[in-house]
């Protein structure tokens, strides 16, 4: 039995590469035995599915421990997906804590002047001191630590506190045990994982092994029960806290310093939001007697002067802080800084020096005051809707409780129904589940519009 079949074939150029040359004539009659007629479809193999060259270098196993992506890029990814779904939506971002208001002119003019000077013989400068320019280090010491016994050579100027956290982790190495507030800024945990300080991620409890998660919640005033944790080598502590906005009292920090002394631990104190503090809360860990023997402090101009893109911060490592063998921690940190870093931009440092002038300090306080007003608007909105609201007084973050609900579900609900980006609390650790962080960094009209949408959704 034979059939005659007239074939009209359309093959893409990418598919044709898989076909050998042929003398087949589609107009001729061809006879062949068949049981049934079927259509053969030629599909091009996606390029990414092809075999590619691989090196013989093994991947860092610690990178494989990390869970999904870093929190804020993941939020950005979901925001982008939302915009593809709703291209005409006016999305308001109150998620990542990125500043929005212009840098005061007294600061930018100093950077512009330094920038223009680089085009002159007299004003040009190349590599600077890795630890930072002396006038800036001196100004930081006198402005923030004037009567606390911190000297200019205890201060290391950097491109931001986040970068210094990773440099400190290199100093500490892999054979240490970390403790972090839960919830807390995710860079502490992620950098610990990358350094090999942790075990595997335990999905059932949403924690990495070999890290002490110090639960901070409304029930304990957002200060951990230190008696309930096993001894850590390094304690990451942020006050005012990101994400909860809670500021530790003098009594609480005294307890923390004493705990570190009793256990021979080192505190890494993140004071990135200290200038937002209202009331009688310590602005620096070094206000606590004995802290110079057990603590390091990181800080930044990012949220004070709008330097999130300019990049400038500092870390204080007192001379009195020693390793167990008596070697100064500052000397090792200095070695890491000199090895991994060529110093902060000279233009950024000119801006930092301008920040600490009388006019610059006044301008920074005005910007901070603006964001604190935004915070009050957000707090009042959620209060009026009957939510339990925390933070907002000493930090530009509002910590809103949605009891019994998944943080990511609430994040998705708010984004889907209001086109407002927030941050799911569980992204800061298991202790953040059931909470959402709302940032006060935004133009006033966007803050007011977001709050109007919140009221419409949850009225």
């Amino acid at each position: 039995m034979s059939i005659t079949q007239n074939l009209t074939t359309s093959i893409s150029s990418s598919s044709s590469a898989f076909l050998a040359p042929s003398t087949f004539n589609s107009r001729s009659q061809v006879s062949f035995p068949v049981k049934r007629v079927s259509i053969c479809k030629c599909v091009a193999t996606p390029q990414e599915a092809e075999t590619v060259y691989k090196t013989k270098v093994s991947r860092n196993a610690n990178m494989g421990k990390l869970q999904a992506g870093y929190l804020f890029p993941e939020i950005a990814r979901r925001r982008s997906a939302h915009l593809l779904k709703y291209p005409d939506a006016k999305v308001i971002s109150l998620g990542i804590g990125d500043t929005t208001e212009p840098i005061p002119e007294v600061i930018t003019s100093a950077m512009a002047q330094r920038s223009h000077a680089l085009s002159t013989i007299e004003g040009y400068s190349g590599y600077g001191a890795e630890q930072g320019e002396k006038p800036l280090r001196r100004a930081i010491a006198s402005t923030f630590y004037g009567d606390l016994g911190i000297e200019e050579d205890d201060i290391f100027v950097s491109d931001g506190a986040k970068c210094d956290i990773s440099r400190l982790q290199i100093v500490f190495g892999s054979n240490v045990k970390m403790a972090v507030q839960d919830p807390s800024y995710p860079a502490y945990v992620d950098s610990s994982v990358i350094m090999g300080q942790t075990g595997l991620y335990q999905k059932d409890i949403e924690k990495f092994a070999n890290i002490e998660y110090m639960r901070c919640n409304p029930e304990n005033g957002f200060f951990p029960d230190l008696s309930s944790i096993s001894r850590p080598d390094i304690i990451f502590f942020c006050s005012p806290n990101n994400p909860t906005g809670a500021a530790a009292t003098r009594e609480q920090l005294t307890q923390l310093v004493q705990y570190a002394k009793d256990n021979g631990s080192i505190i890494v104190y993140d004071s990135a939001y200290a200038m937002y503090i209202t009331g009688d809360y310590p602005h620096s860990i070094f206000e606590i007697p004995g802290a110079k023997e057990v603590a390091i402090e990181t800080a930044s101009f990012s949220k004070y002067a709008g330097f999130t893109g300019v990049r400038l911060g500092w870390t204080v490592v007192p001379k009195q802080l020693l390793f167990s063998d008596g070697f100064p921690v500052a000397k090792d940190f200095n070695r890491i800084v000199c090895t991994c870093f060529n110093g902060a931009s000279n233009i950024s440092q000119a801006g930092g020096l301008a920040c600490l002038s009388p006019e610059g300090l006044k301008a920074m306080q005005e910007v901070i005051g603006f964001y604190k007003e935004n915070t009050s608007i957000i707090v009042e909105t959620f209060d009026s809707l009957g939510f339990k609201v925390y933070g907002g007084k000493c930090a530009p973050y509002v910590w809103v409780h949605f009891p019994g609900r998944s943080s990511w579900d609430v994040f998705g609900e708010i984004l889907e129904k209001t086109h407002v980006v927030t941050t799911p609390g569980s992204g800061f650790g298991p202790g953040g589940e059931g909470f959402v962080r709302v940032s006060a960094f935004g133009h006033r009209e966007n803050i007011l519009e977001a709050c109007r949408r919140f009221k419409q959704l949850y009225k």
Side-chain angles (χ1 to χ4, degrees), residues 12-31:
S12 70
S13 59
S14 59
S15 300
S16 63
F18 296 93
L19 300 180
S22 173
T23 57
F24 176 73
N25 183 355
S26 63
R27 294 177 183 274
S28 64
Q29 292 185 340
V30 182
S31 298

Side-chain angles (χ1 to χ4, degrees), residues 59 63-78 162 186-187 189-191 193-194 201 208 408 423-424 426-429:
R59 184 189 181 203
M63 297 298 296
K65 297 178 189 177
L66 293 170
Q67 298 301 294
Y70 187 66
L71 174 62
F72 298 112
E74 174 61 20
I75 290 173
R77 186 192 68 78
R78 297 192 185 206
K162 183 178 182 179
V189 169
D190 281 12
S191 59
V193 175
I194 292 169
Y201 184 71
F208 284 96
W408 278 108
T423 306
S426 58
F428 298 97

